[in-house]
Amino acid sequence: MRKGTPSRLRPSASGAGAPGKHGDRAGGSSTMGEFELIRRFFDRGPARHAELGLGDDCALLSRRGPDTTLAITTDMLVGGRHFLEGTDPEALGHKALAVNLSDLASMGASPLAFTLALALPGADEAWLGAFSRGMFALADRFDCELIGGDTTRGPLNLCITAIGELPAGSALRRDRAEPGDDLWVSGELGGAALALASLREPHPPATGSPALGRLERPEPRVALGVALRHLARAAIDVSDGLIGDLGHICDRSRVGAEVDWPAVPLAAGLASVAAARRPALALAGGDDYELLFTAAPENRGSIEALGRAPAAPLRLTRIGRIVASSGVRILDARGVAMPIDASGYDHFG
Ligand code: ADP
Ligand code: MG
């Protein structure tokens, strides 16, 4: 905590974006200070992997070996921008960590640890309990431990920094795609964008309901990222929409790409929307957190085998290719470029 930061978080009527009723129920929590809050909701005792976890000025993390590289990533979720106030806190805990683990996955790193910087409008115990439950449930699945953070009062803001590791030289970087590479994507696209669109309808699904699962509970493709270390060349996770994210690979690798629209795997829900709406949902909708990667054609068989792994079957689809000329082109069934209004997909447009 910085000097001058109020060290007490009062329970606010609106809670941390949760329905207000829980704030008052906290009762004694009007005296719950920052340190008690950390102890109750985030401190799970001695670190398992880190030399030193939370409780000191820094966490201490030993290097696992001389030939490993650390991968470090930060993603912030801001209330009102990345999620609606009132979003199920358990889902938020999941997503705040999931988007970071997805970044680790897209580099081929396996998760080690993370820190959590939290700004909260108040100390709402029910909200904090659900948030930490959602976050730790995901963390435990990947044996990734919380080693520190910061807690302050302010508009709801969740910022996680995740640390992963991988063998030196094996990272799946955006700048490694080569002309002639196949272009692959995991899972299905458009499901999160469809869920987001449903929130604007007259009778939106309730937060936390399965209908919003693809939006609220993305699954980081950690095992796939690790398995791709020696099979893929470049990779990125699809957080801002396929066209935009593929554009990042192309820019960094100084190449272009062609996507065969009929080959793009669509989320099941897209079957029930007008065909004309599907490209925007699947190609420009964000938040799917699937992995988009390029690989040499000689690795096709190995990559197809990966997708059939009995432990965790995951659809892997070849959707196009990397080309020498710059730009991303979407081709229809006849191989003709489809008019895609790129400006329509700019978050700042
Ligand atoms: P400092 O004053 O050194 O910044 P703080 O008083 O902010 O330390 O935090 C005390 C300890 O609690 C530190 O080890 C910090 O990493 C940890 N911590 C604070 N907030 C969180 C949080 N939201 N999640 C996990 N650990 C936290
Ligand atoms: Mg601090």
Side-chain angles (χ1 to χ4, degrees):
M1 181 179 73
R2 270 180 233 119
K3 292 212 173 63
T5 307
S7 63
R8 304 226 168 245
L9 290 158
R10 66 173 160 72
S12 76
S14 64
K21 56 181 182 282
H22 302 304
D24 303 320
R25 197 208 287 164
S29 79
S30 58
T31 56
M32 181 166 66
E34 176 188 342
F35 301 110
E36 191 189 344
L37 185 159
I38 295 164
R39 186 183 56 74
R40 283 185 53 192
F41 297 104
F42 300 113
D43 190 350
R44 302 168 96 200
R48 285 165 295 145
H49 304 306
E51 216 173 292
L52 188 62
L54 48 126
D56 212 314
D57 292 314
C58 291
L60 299 174
L61 202 58
S62 305
R63 291 191 63 174
R64 299 268 189 114
D67 296 327
T68 59
T69 296
L70 292 180
I72 299 161
T73 182
T74 298
D75 247 314
M76 181 155 56
L77 295 185
V78 178
R81 175 160 296 274
H82 298 104
F83 58 90
L84 299 172
E85 303 286 334
T87 296
D88 173 25
E90 194 165 346
L92 268 184
H94 173 99
K95 187 162 180 174
L97 181 59
V99 298
N100 280 279
L101 298 187
S102 178
D103 280 324
L104 292 183
S106 73
M107 298 290 284
S110 39
L112 271 184
F114 65 103
T115 64
L116 168 68
L118 204 54
L120 299 169
D124 181 322
E125 296 187 27
W127 191 95
L128 280 160
F131 174 82
S132 71
R133 202 160 53 240
M135 182 182 75
F136 283 128
L138 183 65
D140 291 347
R141 279 174 51 209
F142 294 103
D143 201 19
C144 181
E145 67 183 348
L146 179 63
I147 57 170
D150 199 17
T151 306
T152 181
R153 182 129 56 94
L156 187 55
N157 191 321
L158 317 166
C159 183
I160 286 180
T161 295
I163 302 161
E165 69 177 347
L166 69 172
S170 69
L172 303 173
R173 300 166 47 142
R174 294 180 184 184
D175 61 1
R176 292 295 197 259
E178 292 178 18
D181 279 0
D182 291 330
L183 184 63
W184 295 81
V185 74
S186 66
E188 283 98 27
L189 299 176
L194 190 61
L196 183 63
S198 75
L199 288 176
R200 296 190 205 101
E201 282 164 9
H203 303 288
T207 180
S209 70
L212 297 179
R214 283 307 311 230
L215 179 66
E216 294 190 334
R217 290 182 165 271
E219 177 63 21
R221 302 302 189 189
V222 171
L224 176 62
V226 169
L228 287 174
R229 276 175 196 161
H230 303 291
L231 291 173
R233 247 195 288 257
I236 192 167
D237 61 328
V238 183
S239 55
D240 296 332
L242 181 132
I243 292 176
D245 290 320
L246 178 53
H248 294 315
I249 287 185
C250 291
D251 289 344
R252 299 290 243 138
S253 299
R254 298 171 185 279
V255 294
E258 290 174 353
V259 175
D260 301 320
W261 166 243
V264 174
L266 304 182
L270 267 66
S272 58
V273 307
R277 270 184 75 203
R278 292 176 200 155
L281 290 167
L283 301 176
D287 272 348
D288 280 318
Y289 296 98
E290 294 296 347
L291 294 191
L292 176 68
F293 56 97
T294 85
E298 59 257 35
N299 289 339
R300 272 179 204 175
S302 310
I303 292 170
E304 279 160 6
L306 262 189
R308 291 191 301 266
L314 174 61
R315 188 169 171 189
L316 298 179
T317 311
R318 193 150 48 82
I319 59 167
R321 61 208 67 80
I322 297 297
V323 298
S325 57
S326 66
V328 173
R329 298 197 314 147
I330 312 295
L331 306 179
D332 67 14
R334 292 162 301 149
V336 176
M338 291 163 61
I340 300 290
D341 175 12
S343 65
Y345 311 125
D346 185 347
H347 284 249
F348 294 95

